[in-house]
Amino acid sequence: MNWQPLSDRLYLGSGLKVWTQPTDRNLFRLDFAPATDGHLEISQGDGSLTVGQPITISADSSPIVITLPLPILIATDKRRLSLKATRTLRVSLSVLDVEPNINMHENTSNAQFSINCNSTIIESTAQLTTLLEANSNRKLATITNNSDSALYLDYTNDGSITNYAVKVLPYDYFEVPSGIQTKIVGLWDRVNGSVFIREFT
């Protein structure tokens, strides 16, 4: 996965909102520097109108990848994110240079609904392992990290705990966007627990 900067590094703090450059993407990567702890609030809109409920995430030195739906009320090419932190954070925001074709507001009359769910449990490992094979019939998948160690996900065999696409925190889960049908691999920073996988076809 190749990420491209959405804006220059942002300096946040004092509870003030900072709006990003407009984008039509919905998959974002946030890198924090230096290693700091805090909370970051993310909202969506066009720079004046805010749509939906803000998302609040904990922020430390680890990159965070989030998927946000395209707001219905905002023109695609005018979509912005607002970021707000209560303490000083330096954030670099990136988007995929080529994003999967995901229609977040597909007409349900033409939608393909899932009729099958395949369930898998895989024990944690410090070696990169395949969690989901590539599947052109995949509608959706959920990956639940049933471990007190972080799970690192990627879509290529180059993934590692320092180079990954998504970090799933202990006992958290990741919902694979409906447009991603590639292989998904993963590994843990410590061997402990397992992962619960549900793939809908």
Side-chain angles (χ1 to χ4, degrees):
M1 300 177 70
N2 295 318
W3 298 90
Q4 63 181 17
L6 179 60
S7 59
D8 295 332
R9 180 172 291 176
L10 302 171
Y11 293 82
L12 307 176
S14 303
L16 300 176
K17 283 188 177 181
V18 174
W19 288 94
T20 65
Q21 302 278 346
T23 180
D24 61 354
R25 306 304 172 87
N26 75 316
L27 193 63
F28 301 89
R29 175 179 170 127
L30 297 93
D31 291 86
F32 303 91
T36 54
D37 294 318
H39 287 83
L40 179 67
E41 180 184 288
I42 304 173
S43 303
Q44 302 176 78
D46 63 1
S48 57
L49 175 65
T50 300
V51 176
Q53 296 296 317
I55 300 170
T56 300
I57 60 175
S58 295
D60 56 25
S61 59
S62 301
I64 295 173
V65 175
I66 60 173
T67 303
L68 297 173
L70 296 173
I72 297 175
L73 299 177
I74 303 299
T76 300
D77 59 347
K78 295 183 179 180
R79 178 181 184 235
R80 295 172 183 259
L81 298 183
S82 73
L83 308 178
K84 183 173 71 172
T86 55
R87 59 177 297 177
T88 302
L89 287 177
R90 283 184 272 179
V91 182
S92 296
L93 186 64
S94 306
V95 294
L96 285 179
D97 54 357
V98 178
E99 190 172 56
N101 182 19
I102 304 173
N103 185 355
M104 301 299 292
H105 305 299
E106 182 178 12
N107 187 329
T108 56
S109 63
N110 298 319
Q112 298 182 26
F113 295 96
S114 171
I115 58 173
N116 296 303
C117 176
N118 298 317
S119 173
T120 308
I121 300 176
I122 297 176
E123 296 301 313
S124 65
T125 173
Q127 304 298 318
L128 199 66
T129 187
T130 298
L131 303 182
L132 282 169
E133 297 287 353
N135 186 354
S136 60
N137 294 320
R138 183 188 304 149
K139 306 296 189 302
L140 185 74
T142 59
I143 299 175
T144 302
N145 182 21
N146 185 39
S147 168
D148 59 13
S149 303
L151 167 62
Y152 300 83
L153 304 177
D154 211 336
Y155 307 101
T156 74
N157 290 326
D158 298 325
S160 68
I161 62 174
T162 58
N163 179 21
Y164 54 88
V166 179
K167 179 180 180 179
V168 185
L169 298 176
Y171 304 106
D172 203 349
Y173 82 102
F174 172 66
E175 186 174 291
V176 181
S178 59
I180 295 181
Q181 299 175 327
T182 63
K183 176 175 70 173
I184 298 177
V185 297
L187 75 164
W188 285 258
D189 52 13
R190 289 184 296 107
V191 178
N192 181 286
S194 58
V195 62
F196 301 153
I197 301 170
R198 302 293 185 267
E199 183 177 41
F200 300 88
T201 59

